[in-house]
Structure formats: structure tokens, C-alpha cells
């Protein structure tokens, strides 16, 4: 996404796009509530409530990158069953020659429960019911059982990230693969009703990958991180699950080394990584 933004220099949060909204209304036959707008953190997506009590999500790509799997993620996810996600109702796409871009708009079920944390991480324990955790576990299990050719986290990418930070300290062979959302954090989960949002990146990943990402985004709140370990123990205690946790830690350490601002996830990620490496080495 960073490369896309560097080349694109178009931000829905600041650049004029009234003509785009007019096109969306015409093609989908809805009226967008401009006051309900919510923009993605990188300015590539925007969402609006409609007069049909649905939600329209708008996104763009430069013409030469529309073949990537993220472009069709929501569309492909519409076949998933027993996963708590907004139902996709209809879509429209068109070419914008003036901007050198392609737009798409997806009208979907309106989810009234907000994201648990818009930043993706939490600094205190959120109030989540037992039924919320059951719904999340059911969704992860149903998703894991779904067959797909999409790739959420490749073996090559995981190996590269772990070796870049930790060298050859562990065997990075993944022995179990399942289908995953592959972008789980507290900004893509709602409460009090549990829904999984933003399906651009879903696909095959190491077993336990989604639970590992949620655990990692919870490391500032040890009680919450421990709760996730307990809820998803069956997956997170596997070799693949531990490597999924380690790649999260590697990404935090890697990104923190390239930025000057402090990262509150850095120290807990380092501490967790040392323990994970020791456990993985013991399993050799």
C-alpha cells in the first residue's frame, strides 16, 4: 500500500472527489449521507451510509495495479458462509481517465456496531461479551475451513521477515496452512456485535495467523493478550501459530527501527519474541 500511495499522490481525505460520489449515486441508485463519511487511514477508501440504510465503500487504484488480489477481496469474500461479515449487495467499477485511476464502490450491509479501536490497537481492555468471543471463534473456524487459491501470508514473506530480524535462530518451516482474514486488528473488528471488516487481504496463511495478529495488537494490555492466548490456545500453541506470533513481533521490531517516534508495542514484542524463539528452538 505504501508504494501505491507514493506513486498515486491522491488522498480521499483531502482531494476533491464530489464527481466520484455523484457517479456512485447514479450507478447504485442511492443517496449518500455525506455527513456519515469515514475515511481509511491512508486515504484510499471512503465509506458512507445511504438512504437505503446500507453502507457504500469506495476505493481507488491506479490502472496498473487493479489486478492485485486486494482489488477483488470483498467480492471474493461474498461466498464465505458462517463468517460474521457484512453481506455484499452490489458493486460497480469504472475507469477514470482524467485521474488515471479505476474506482469501485461496494454497497453492503450496514453494520451499526463501531470498530473496537480505530487505531487498530488498544490501550485498555475492551468490554467484550462471551457471545462476542464465541462469534469470533466461530468465524475464524469457518474461514479456516474454506478452500481458496488466494494468499494471505506466503511462506516466502514470513521467512523473509523473520530472518531479517532474527536471522537463522529458528526453523521457519510452516507445516499447517488454513484460510485467514489476514488483516485482523482491533480496527477491523466491531463491538458489541462481532463483525470482521475489510476483506482485501484474505487468503491462505499459517494456522493461527489471525489469532496471532489479534494477540500482537493486544500486547499493550497483558490481560487481554493472555485472554486471546487462552481462547485460541489450540491454534497458537502449534508450531505454525508460534511462527505467526513471531512474524508479528518481527514486523513491529523492523518498523520501529525505521521510525523515530516511540512504538508502545516494541518492548512487549521483543519480550514475546525471546520467549517464542526459545520455545521454537526447544521443538527442533
Amino acid at each position: 500500500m505504501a508504494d501505491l500511495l507514493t506513486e498515486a499522490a491522491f488522498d480521499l481525505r483531502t482531494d476533491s472527489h464530489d464527481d466520484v460520489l455523484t457517479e456512485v449515486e447514479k450507478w447504485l441508485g442511492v443517496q449518500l449521507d455525506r455527513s456519515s463519511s469515514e475515511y481509511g487511514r491512508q486515504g484510499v477508501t471512503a465509506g458512507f451510509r445511504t438512504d437505503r440504510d446500507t453502507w457504500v465503500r469506495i476505493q481507488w487504484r491506479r490502472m496498473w495495479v487493479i489486478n492485485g488480489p486486494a482489488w477483488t477481496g470483498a467480492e471474493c469474500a461474498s461466498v464465505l458462509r458462517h463468517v460474521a461479515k457484512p453481506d455484499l449487495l452490489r458493486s460497480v467499477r469504472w475507469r477514470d481517465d482524467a485521474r488515471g485511476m479505476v474506482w469501485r464502490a461496494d454497497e453492503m450491509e450496514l453494520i451499526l456496531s463501531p470498530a473496537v479501536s480505530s487505531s487498530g490497537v488498544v490501550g485498555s481492555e475492551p468490554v467484550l461479551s462471551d457471545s462476542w468471543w464465541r462469534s469470533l471463534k466461530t468465524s475464524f473456524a469457518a474461514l479456516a475451513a474454506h478452500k481458496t487459491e488466494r494468499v494471505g501470508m506466503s511462506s516466502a514473506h514470513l521467512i523473509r521477515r523473520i530472518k531479517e530480524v532474527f536471522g537463522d535462530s529458528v526453523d521457519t518451516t510452516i507445516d499447517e496452512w488454513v484460510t485467514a482474514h489476514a488483516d485482523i486488528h482491533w480496527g477491523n473488528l466491531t463491538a458489541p456485535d462481532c463483525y470482521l471488516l475489510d476483506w482485501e487481504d484474505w487468503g491462505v496463511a499459517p494456522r493461527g495467523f489471525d489469532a496471532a495478529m489479534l494477540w500482537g495488537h493486544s500486547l499493550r494490555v497483558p490481560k487481554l493478550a493472555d485472554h486471546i492466548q487462552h481462547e485460541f490456545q489450540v491454534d497458537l500453541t502449534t508450531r505454525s501459530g508460534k511462527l505467526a506470533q513471531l512474524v508479528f513481533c518481527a514486523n513491529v521490531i523492523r518498523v520501529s527501527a525505521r521510525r523515530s517516534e516511540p512504538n508502545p508495542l516494541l518492548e512487549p514484542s521483543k519480550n514475546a519474541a525471546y520467549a517464542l524463539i526459545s520455545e521454537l528452538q526447544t521443538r527442533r
Side-chain angles (χ1 to χ4, degrees):
M1 185 64 74
D3 292 341
L4 169 64
L5 291 174
T6 300
E7 296 178 358
F10 188 90
D11 191 328
L12 282 168
R13 296 167 296 184
T14 56
D15 294 325
S16 176
H17 56 279
D18 287 343
D19 59 314
V20 174
L21 304 187
T22 300
E23 286 293 310
V24 170
E25 291 175 326
K26 179 180 73 174
W27 285 108
L28 294 180
V30 299
Q31 290 292 317
L32 302 178
D33 179 0
R34 305 302 203 268
S35 67
S36 68
S37 61
E38 293 186 9
Y39 294 95
R41 286 178 289 170
Q42 295 174 310
V44 177
T45 64
F48 300 87
R49 190 166 181 165
T50 77
D51 60 340
R52 284 203 290 247
D53 279 336
T54 57
W55 186 258
V56 169
R57 187 174 188 270
I58 301 166
Q59 61 178 312
W60 62 267
R61 292 287 189 274
R62 289 301 186 189
M63 292 183 183
W64 55 86
V65 293
I66 63 169
N67 291 327
W71 184 246
T72 59
E75 184 177 347
C76 294
S78 65
V79 303
L80 297 171
R81 294 293 177 263
H82 309 300
V83 177
K85 57 178 289 298
D87 285 336
L88 178 65
L89 305 175
R90 58 189 59 82
S91 301
V92 62
R93 307 158 199 74
W94 73 97
R95 190 173 72 183
D96 183 345
D97 288 328
R99 294 185 178 95
M101 296 158 60
V102 177
W103 295 90
R104 72 172 288 153
D106 299 307
E107 185 182 7
M108 59 190 68
E109 177 187 1
L110 176 66
I111 303 301
L112 296 177
S113 291
V116 176
S117 172
S118 59
S119 69
V121 299
V122 290
S124 60
E125 189 171 10
V127 178
L128 302 170
S129 65
D130 291 343
S131 63
W132 189 95
W133 287 104
R134 286 196 298 271
S135 178
L136 183 64
K137 293 177 74 172
T138 297
S139 293
F140 280 4
L143 183 57
H146 182 81
K147 302 301 182 184
T148 184
E149 294 182 353
R150 292 174 59 90
V151 177
M153 166 61 74
S154 70
S155 178
H157 185 81
L158 179 141
I159 291 171
R160 183 167 64 251
R161 287 288 181 259
I162 290 178
K163 287 186 177 295
E164 180 179 351
V165 178
F166 303 116
D168 295 319
S169 57
V170 296
D171 177 1
T172 53
T173 303
I174 298 292
D175 52 11
E176 295 181 273
W177 296 88
V178 300
T179 300
H181 178 282
D183 190 23
I184 287 292
H185 52 69
W186 293 108
N188 280 341
L189 291 169
T190 68
D193 297 317
C194 179
Y195 285 92
L196 285 66
L197 308 178
D198 292 351
W199 287 84
E200 288 91 345
D201 298 318
W202 73 281
V204 173
R207 178 182 177 183
F209 188 79
D210 282 340
M213 296 303 104
L214 190 59
W215 164 83
H217 284 96
S218 306
L219 285 174
R220 289 179 62 191
V221 187
K223 185 177 178 181
L224 178 60
D226 289 344
H227 185 82
I228 293 167
Q229 288 283 346
H230 173 74
E231 290 285 349
F232 299 99
Q233 180 180 10
V234 172
D235 293 322
L236 291 177
T237 55
T238 64
R239 173 179 180 77
S240 298
K242 290 185 181 296
L243 285 169
Q245 294 169 73
L246 188 60
V247 79
F248 178 90
C249 298
N251 282 332
V252 170
I253 295 169
R254 175 179 175 272
V255 170
S256 298
R258 289 162 169 75
R259 295 179 179 174
S260 57
E261 64 271 19
N263 186 341
L265 291 177
L266 178 58
E267 288 307 314
S269 292
K270 285 182 177 180
N271 293 335
Y274 297 144
L276 287 164
I277 290 171
S278 177
E279 293 167 5
L280 287 162
Q281 289 174 337
T282 302
R283 288 187 174 210
R284 283 180 176 174

